[in-house]
Amino acid sequence: TGNDLELFPGCSLVFKCLNDTETSDIVFNDDLIARPLTVRSLISSDEIILSEGRKQVSKLLKDWKIPAERRWMIPIIEDRKGIAAILGKTFGGSNRVAARMKKRMNFDEIKNLIRVNVIYTGSYSEHAE
């Protein structure tokens, strides 16, 4: 936590501790992460297990109307157990967290929470293939 990870020019992934004042769309219980944690682009065979069932990531991005040539920009967070989250909100989609990462949490009792936020200041056209 406390470090920004530049994904590409104009786009950074920010990890913060829960008590940080910056808002965030995703909160992970650090104890549920099966390290190492990896941030990467889409692979055609990617699937995420959501509370409503298994879903192909490419189908989610299509449903969000993310153009095919821009889907590589969407950060996917993965650990040893599979995809933990898809961070599409900043790019016109939605953020989705795997069901296994959403175990009921009492925020007052858990000390190891991590907030994840994407900061995008660039333009899609700057990075299109």
Side-chain angles (χ1 to χ4, degrees):
T1 59
N3 295 321
D4 295 357
L5 174 64
E6 184 177 42
L7 301 176
F8 53 87
C11 185
S12 295
L13 192 64
V14 181
F15 292 90
K16 302 279 185 182
C17 293
L18 183 67
N19 60 0
D20 195 285
T21 57
E22 185 173 332
T23 61
S24 177
D25 292 312
I26 291 184
V27 178
F28 288 127
N29 178 347
D30 189 37
D31 297 336
L32 296 177
I33 298 171
R35 300 206 186 287
L37 196 62
T38 304
V39 181
R40 62 172 177 79
S41 293
L42 175 70
I43 296 173
S44 60
S45 60
D46 280 343
E47 291 184 334
I48 185 169
I49 301 173
L50 303 168
S51 48
E52 62 268 19
R54 186 177 300 267
K55 186 86 170 177
Q56 279 194 308
V57 176
S58 58
K59 173 95 169 86
L60 280 174
L61 300 181
K62 184 178 179 183
D63 291 348
W64 297 338
K65 297 182 179 20
I66 307 290
E69 66 274 5
R70 296 183 183 152
R71 293 179 188 164
W72 66 271
M73 299 171 80
I74 309 299
I76 294 175
I77 299 178
E78 179 180 46
D79 66 7
R80 279 187 292 117
K81 293 182 179 180
I83 294 177
I86 303 164
L87 304 174
K89 184 175 182 180
T90 302
F91 302 95
S94 181
N95 290 336
R96 298 302 304 265
V97 177
R100 67 182 169 86
M101 301 302 290
K102 289 180 157 183
K103 296 204 175 172
R104 187 176 201 121
M105 294 186 272
N106 180 343
F107 289 104
D108 295 329
E109 295 175 6
I110 298 174
K111 305 295 182 215
N112 298 322
L113 295 176
I114 298 173
R115 300 164 72 113
V116 183
N117 194 14
V118 176
I119 299 173
Y120 181 64
T121 59
S123 162
Y124 283 135
S125 60
E126 292 175 30
H127 306 288
E129 294 181 78

